[in-house]
Amino acid sequence: MNQSMNIRIQAPSPSLLLPRAKSSSHWMCPCLRVQLETCASSNISKTSLVARGSSVWCKIQPMFNESLTKKYASQIGALVTSRALEVSDTPVVGDDKIGVLLLNLGGPETLEDVQPFLFNLFADPDIIRLPRMFRFLQKPLAKFISVARAPKSKEGYASIGGGSPLRQITDAQAEELRKALTEKNVPAKVYVGMRYWHPFTEEAIEQIKRDRITKLVVLPLYPQFSISTSGSSLRLLESIFREDEYLVNMQHTVIPSWYQREGYIKAMADLIEKELRNFDRPEEVMIFFSAHGVPLAYVEEAGDPYKAEMEECVDLIMEELEKRRLNNAYTLAYQSRVGPVEWLKPYTDETIIELGQKGVKSLLAVPISFVSEHIETLEEIDVEYKELALKSGVEKWGRVPALGCEPTFISDLADAVIESLPYVGAMAVSNLEARQSLVPLGSVEELLAAYDSQRRELPPPVTVWEWGWTKSAETWNGRAAMLAVLVLLVLEVTTGEGFLHQWGILPLFR
């Protein structure tokens, strides 16, 4: 569709204006691939729109210089319409049936669930990204990895009670959110949709249809956006909506990330401040933010914003603590890496060892990317990393609990939902005053394509072979190992012989 469009920039209040590089006087809109003069309207032709007039996702970021990029990565909102539409001032509830869909990862509830859960996880192409020509091996590879990893994973889940508490916690969060919305005079039904285990997203959608919801707010329970978490859930949701006439016509919007929200930042600061009091000398405690890692290629090649959003989130929390006269040293590292490829650095385990060697005696771990307790907090942080820290010379160890149903956090999620309701069905992208990004579901593919398209524009991470223990060597070693695994699987499947058959693993594929 080719037509002119009016791009309307919402003017932020002076307190929300962010510094930008003096050398740039433009804002870049990656999805539309145009530059807009700041504080001016532009007419753009030859712009592709989503079918049915749903709004185009437009993430407008200032062209910061490198020194400002990390700290000021927050987004400026825009109203993108094919006509000059205004957001309605009419009541947001009325006769509408409001629904909120919480998206989360999911987790095995029993030890018998572990292997099928891992299969669902690794069968997701947003988790293991195979080259297009090898994608027919996605499920066989997922089967192989899940079978190989299941015994060790079962040991971890057995150590925390025999299963993940994620479903129970998320159900409790949903109920508390429903109550908070009711108290704020916005009655709504809240649903839980898990990506890799029950209740699956598809199950939640069926219930939403049975309840005849007319306005839906989709809220991933990941504070920071990543292709592998929110992105995967939203991609699945997009495919479900495309195939269902009722969903196609239902008004909806998505809050893809909310790490900047004031209530979330204050809730995190409250928990950190409370845990610091448990140390004899709180001022000497190193605050150790540990986030779930992602493969480095997601950020460098696919344009995943996760790292930038995580770093800004940590900065905002520390700024809030400084307002409370808590000026502790802090650091950020990434945990839970798997496989031979390079992940975001620094790694949590390596950083803990380095801190111990540098003489850090008191460490407070903060699970920054998790809002619920699960195996990566209860076993990986509480057991593995605590043991590693004590062996490395750390004498005092503490851990901030996940937010769970913390009242300030739940109240802020309710506010996020309420603030998004005027935009449900409207062609709006963000609420500046709430510093909350919004994207209509009809544009999720464009959002993800904006990240994925970077792969074609950025140079490959390695252009020549390098020998030795180098970054490029690690990258190529990982790719060679993955290719070798794929070749072995092909040979095993085609010949019916090999070590996987001898071990009794491969017949499971049949």
Side-chain angles (χ1 to χ4, degrees):
M1 183 187 303
N2 295 331
Q3 64 178 11
S4 297
M5 297 180 63
N6 295 322
I7 307 297
R8 311 191 70 193
I9 307 295
Q10 288 184 330
S13 62
S15 62
L16 293 178
L17 290 176
L18 299 175
R20 57 188 173 90
K22 294 182 180 179
S23 59
S24 174
S25 60
H26 297 79
W27 301 98
M28 176 61 78
C29 180
C31 294
L32 298 181
R33 303 192 183 286
V34 294
Q35 286 187 330
L36 308 178
E37 287 291 335
T38 55
C39 300
S41 61
S42 302
N43 292 324
I44 302 172
S45 60
K46 298 183 180 180
T47 302
S48 175
L49 294 179
V50 178
R52 299 183 293 101
S54 61
S55 53
V56 178
W57 182 83
C58 180
K59 189 174 184 180
I60 295 184
Q61 290 181 315
M63 304 294 287
F64 296 127
N65 61 26
E66 184 174 354
S67 64
L68 294 176
T69 300
K70 175 182 174 182
K71 191 168 184 178
Y72 300 103
S74 57
Q75 305 158 7
I76 295 294
L79 294 181
V80 183
T81 68
S82 57
R83 303 180 303 277
L85 293 179
E86 299 291 345
V87 176
S88 173
D89 292 325
T90 58
V92 297
V93 180
D95 296 329
D96 289 307
K97 291 186 176 180
I98 307 299
V100 181
L101 176 59
L102 302 181
L103 300 178
N104 211 334
L105 185 80
E109 297 175 73
T110 68
L111 295 182
E112 289 71 28
D113 298 336
V114 172
Q115 190 273 322
F117 164 77
L118 291 176
F119 172 80
N120 293 337
L121 177 69
F122 293 117
D124 182 359
D126 285 311
I127 298 297
I128 296 182
R129 308 188 115 204
L130 296 179
R132 187 176 300 274
M133 64 183 295
F134 291 118
R135 287 184 184 171
F136 71 96
L137 290 171
Q138 186 84 45
K139 289 187 177 180
L141 182 60
K143 189 73 173 181
F144 171 72
I145 296 175
S146 63
V147 170
R149 289 180 59 88
K152 181 173 177 57
S153 294
K154 284 183 179 180
E155 291 178 5
Y157 283 106
S159 71
I160 62 171
S164 171
L166 187 61
R167 178 174 182 173
Q168 291 85 352
I169 295 173
T170 306
D171 285 343
Q173 290 171 326
E175 176 60 18
E176 292 304 311
L177 177 58
R178 184 196 65 78
K179 293 178 181 178
L181 287 168
T182 301
E183 292 173 358
K184 296 174 185 286
N185 298 316
V186 181
K189 291 193 174 182
V190 183
Y191 306 87
V192 172
M194 299 295 191
R195 183 65 179 90
Y196 305 116
W197 203 246
H198 302 284
F200 289 110
T201 303
E202 295 88 341
E203 298 172 34
I205 290 297
E206 287 303 313
Q207 187 60 51
I208 287 171
K209 290 168 58 180
R210 286 194 292 269
D211 291 340
R212 309 301 296 175
I213 295 299
T214 59
K215 286 189 174 183
L216 181 68
V217 177
V218 181
L219 178 59
L221 287 178
Y222 309 103
Q224 304 83 14
F225 182 93
S226 174
I227 295 171
S228 60
T229 54
S230 302
S232 176
S233 293
L234 294 177
R235 195 190 295 275
L236 171 64
L237 205 56
E238 173 76 0
S239 66
I240 295 172
F241 268 63
R242 281 178 175 170
E243 299 171 358
D244 192 293
E245 183 177 357
Y246 176 82
L247 299 174
V248 165
N249 295 314
M250 183 176 64
Q251 293 182 325
H252 49 261
T253 194
V254 177
I255 306 173
S257 66
W258 36 270
Y259 67 95
Q260 296 172 319
R261 290 190 59 84
E262 183 178 1
Y264 166 72
I265 296 299
K266 287 187 175 180
M268 288 297 299
D270 289 343
L271 293 178
I272 293 171
E273 184 177 13
K274 180 180 179 181
E275 291 300 319
L276 284 173
R277 298 194 192 106
N278 294 329
F279 290 85
D280 296 333
R281 297 181 179 179
E283 69 281 355
E284 297 180 2
V285 176
M286 166 75 76
I287 299 176
F288 188 89
F289 292 96
S290 186
H292 196 289
V294 298
L296 185 63
Y298 283 30
V299 175
E300 292 192 347
E301 296 182 47
D304 196 328
Y306 179 73
K307 181 175 183 288
E309 293 191 358
M310 184 61 67
E311 290 173 349
E312 185 185 6
C313 179
V314 170
D315 285 344
L316 291 172
I317 293 172
M318 292 309 302
E319 288 173 7
E320 175 63 27
L321 291 174
E322 288 173 4
K323 293 177 184 177
R324 308 179 186 193
R325 298 182 179 180
L326 298 173
N327 298 299
N328 295 66
Y330 69 98
T331 190
L332 168 65
Y334 298 91
Q335 67 180 79
S336 309
R337 71 186 187 275
V338 294
V341 299
E342 185 176 6
W343 284 51
L344 283 182
K345 291 183 177 180
Y347 299 141
T348 293
D349 51 357
E350 294 179 358
T351 303
I352 288 174
I353 294 173
E354 291 175 4
L355 292 175
Q357 292 173 346
K358 292 179 179 178
V360 173
K361 298 301 181 184
S362 299
L363 204 61
L364 177 61
V366 182
I368 185 62
S369 56
F370 312 104
V371 299
S372 305
E373 302 290 358
H374 59 301
I375 194 167
E376 286 164 339
T377 60
L378 299 175
E379 199 272 336
E380 191 171 2
I381 295 180
D382 287 355
V383 179
E384 295 180 21
Y385 293 149
K386 178 180 179 180
E387 181 180 346
L388 179 62
L390 296 177
K391 287 182 178 179
S392 301
V394 175
E395 297 175 356
K396 301 291 184 180
W397 169 272
R399 203 263 286 180
V400 170
L403 285 164
C405 294
E406 200 278 333
T408 302
F409 168 57
I410 295 297
S411 179
D412 189 60
L413 285 185
D415 289 340
V417 170
I418 293 170
E419 290 160 10
S420 72
L421 286 175
Y423 298 97
V424 173
M427 290 181 154
V429 183
S430 73
N431 180 343
L432 281 172
E433 293 191 359
R435 303 182 70 187
Q436 164 195 342
S437 303
L438 300 172
V439 52
L441 188 57
S443 299
V444 168
E445 279 300 323
E446 292 192 7
L447 180 151
L448 297 172
Y451 296 142
D452 293 344
S453 67
Q454 305 288 332
R455 184 183 299 276
R456 297 191 297 270
E457 299 174 18
L458 293 174
V462 178
T463 56
V464 295
W465 284 94
E466 296 181 28
W467 299 97
W469 193 257
T470 64
K471 174 181 175 181
S472 61
E474 186 176 354
T475 301
W476 280 105
N477 289 340
R479 292 176 177 175
M482 181 63 72
L483 181 60
V485 169
L486 293 174
V487 171
L488 286 174
L489 281 174
V490 171
L491 291 175
E492 291 265 1
V493 171
T494 56
T495 65
E497 298 178 354
F499 69 92
L500 294 181
H501 284 79
Q502 295 174 0
W503 292 349
I505 295 177
L506 197 57
L508 291 176
F509 292 116
R510 296 176 181 174

